[in-house]
Amino acid sequence: MKKTLLLTVDPQEPDLQKIRIAAGFIRKGGLVAFPTETVYGLGANALDAEAVLSVFEAKKRPLDNPPIVHVCEANDACRLAKEIPSKAGVLMKRFWPGPLTLIFKRSSVVPDVTVAGLDTIAIRMPRHNVALALIRESGCPIAAPSANLAGKPSPTSAKHVLDDLGGRIDAVLDGGPTRIGVESTVLDLTVDPPQVLRPGGVSYEELVKALGTVELNPVVVADHGLPVEKARSPGVKHKHYAPNADMVLVEGEVRTVVSKVNELIDSYRAQGKKVGVLGTDETVDHYEADVVKTLGSRSDLTVVAKSLFGLLREFDAEDVDVIVAEGVPAEGLGLAIMNRLRKASGYKIVKV
Ligand code: TXA
Ligand code: MG
């Protein structure tokens, strides 16, 4: 156990002194959790193999799943990538800083552990003043997976980080709750047309608008577990976003979803189980379960994305045996939301 220092900062104009304390840990090979616009990341100097290795250890993350390398200027990507295809220029201009991670062929300055032995690297420039200031003051690119224990929902607050990693990392920069709530979109630029490996904060529709043709990797839209070979992004083959309780996801037209959810509540309760429901503003009044929570309105998926991971953690705190969750339309941000819900359910999906 080490002491984890909590550094509370203003998300817009962070106190430079506190950023420098955090950067001091990074420079010395330590681990600092920090907010981004998507979720909190657990950062280490991306060019320090030992430091990156300790990120894997702190998270209990399998070594074959590389983190994203965060930069504070688009130019910094040039040193880390072997080549920057012209489409990348278009995307960086349009979406950086922002929730878009780009996969490039990697350069030899990057240690093997940072890319899990792959010949490619994931790079993004986050849109968050705390993250950008930390990278700048550290003077190095920062490798940062989400700051949760492997398999748990990603953290959208400093409290989530401390719940998982308190005593295992040097410091947390607390910049309040994150704005987007689901992780960045991961886009592979080593293939043409480019392929979305993980849906996230930048929607598929926006990428198509910027580039023309963009493909979706089969795992992005999968509604059942796929064979590992299909997963070009190493992370997708591992268990993810899972609450402790069993989870069932009900997908379909809203009215039929409501009656199916009610049917499931009854049958689980008849088995003596403590049942939680993850519904939406439009539907929660129709449910009677042990715990009922709303993701927000179906008409505003930005709120749904923002609340999703925190609510999954709340169900764990209330010790429910099973969570029955409603699906939302898989368009715009909905694609990322549904991808996380489906994974969280272990692909236990009921289509009505
Ligand atoms: O929003 C985010 O992306 C957050 C914040 C902290 O930036 N980070 C995050 O990192 O979600 P992580 O490590 O939890 O997810 C990174 C994803 C994983 O699915 C990983 O497999 C994939 O990116 N990835 C990393 N390097 C890759 C590579 N070279 N090729 C394909 N996928 C890669
Ligand atoms: Mg993660």
Side-chain angles (χ1 to χ4, degrees):
M1 283 285 275
K2 45 173 131 185
K3 187 179 168 291
T4 300
L5 183 64
L6 179 63
L7 298 161
T8 304
V9 287
D10 184 280
Q12 298 299 332
E13 293 174 40
D15 178 351
L16 197 54
Q17 236 168 328
K18 289 183 180 168
I19 297 288
R20 286 193 173 139
I21 295 171
F25 285 118
I26 299 281
R27 286 166 182 269
K28 279 184 291 190
L31 304 186
V32 176
F34 60 95
T36 77
E37 77 280 34
T38 56
V39 300
Y40 274 72
L42 177 59
N45 179 351
L47 304 178
D48 177 342
E50 233 171 283
V52 176
L53 189 61
S54 61
V55 170
F56 284 92
E57 283 163 4
K59 275 185 60 103
K60 304 186 181 168
R61 178 172 173 119
L63 281 166
D64 65 352
N65 187 13
I68 293 167
V69 176
H70 297 68
V71 297
C72 62
E73 275 176 52
N75 246 341
D76 295 341
C78 302
R79 225 175 111 223
L80 304 167
K82 198 150 95 189
E83 56 197 313
I84 307 273
S86 62
K87 284 180 184 171
V90 175
L91 295 170
M92 289 166 164
K93 217 167 181 183
R94 170 81 184 75
F95 297 107
W96 279 14
L100 179 65
T101 295
L102 301 174
I103 308 289
F104 301 102
K105 291 279 178 201
R106 62 117 150 184
S107 82
S108 54
V109 303
V110 185
D112 280 344
V113 60
T114 303
V115 293
L118 299 176
D119 62 353
T120 54
I121 182 169
I123 307 179
R124 95 171 179 103
M125 178 169 154
R127 191 178 202 93
H128 196 295
N129 288 347
V130 175
L132 293 171
L134 178 66
I135 300 164
R136 203 171 297 122
E137 290 302 314
S138 300
C140 59
I142 293 187
S146 49
N148 51 285
L149 283 173
K152 290 278 151 203
S154 293
T156 54
S157 73
K159 180 183 181 296
H160 298 159
V161 175
L162 289 170
D163 286 346
D164 278 16
L165 300 175
R168 304 175 68 83
I169 62 178
D170 295 294
V172 183
L173 281 162
D174 182 353
T178 59
R179 182 171 57 81
I180 296 177
V182 291
E183 304 89 337
S184 62
T185 301
V186 177
L187 184 70
D188 188 351
L189 290 176
T190 68
V191 292
D192 201 38
Q195 197 177 76
V196 175
L197 304 184
R198 179 180 73 180
V202 170
S203 72
Y204 173 70
E205 293 83 345
E206 287 175 278
L207 291 175
V208 169
K209 215 188 274 172
L211 288 186
T213 313
V214 179
E215 285 179 350
L216 289 172
N217 186 274
V219 300
V220 170
V221 285
D223 53 9
H224 55 277
L226 283 180
V228 172
E229 315 84 77
K230 296 258 191 224
R232 294 175 42 106
S233 186
V236 300
K237 67 185 181 225
H238 298 290
K239 194 174 165 222
H240 252 106
Y241 314 115
N244 295 330
D246 284 334
M247 184 166 146
V248 184
L249 178 62
V250 184
E251 295 183 16
E253 193 267 319
V254 186
R255 241 171 313 170
T256 31
V257 166
V258 170
S259 53
K260 188 69 192 181
V261 169
N262 274 314
E263 209 179 281
L264 289 168
I265 294 170
D266 290 344
S267 82
Y268 286 124
R269 296 197 78 181
Q271 296 166 34
K273 292 190 169 157
K274 182 169 178 184
V275 183
V277 173
L278 192 51
T280 46
D281 288 355
E282 290 80 0
T283 60
V284 282
D285 289 343
H286 297 93
Y287 302 135
E288 255 176 76
D290 298 286
V291 185
V292 179
K293 295 184 187 288
T294 176
L295 286 158
S297 170
R298 296 178 156 267
S299 66
D300 188 359
L301 292 183
T302 60
V303 175
V304 173
K306 196 172 170 155
S307 54
L308 175 62
F309 289 144
L311 291 175
L312 291 178
R313 283 175 179 264
E314 283 181 25
F315 278 116
D316 278 348
E318 306 211 38
D319 224 13
V320 299
D321 299 306
V322 56
I323 302 167
V324 184
E326 276 177 17
V328 296
E331 286 149 28
L333 249 189
L335 185 63
I337 294 165
M338 287 307 288
N339 171 265
R340 306 307 190 271
L341 279 171
R342 286 167 171 170
K343 283 184 164 197
S345 76
Y347 298 102
K348 283 191 287 300
I349 299 167
V350 181
K351 297 209 183 203
V352 291

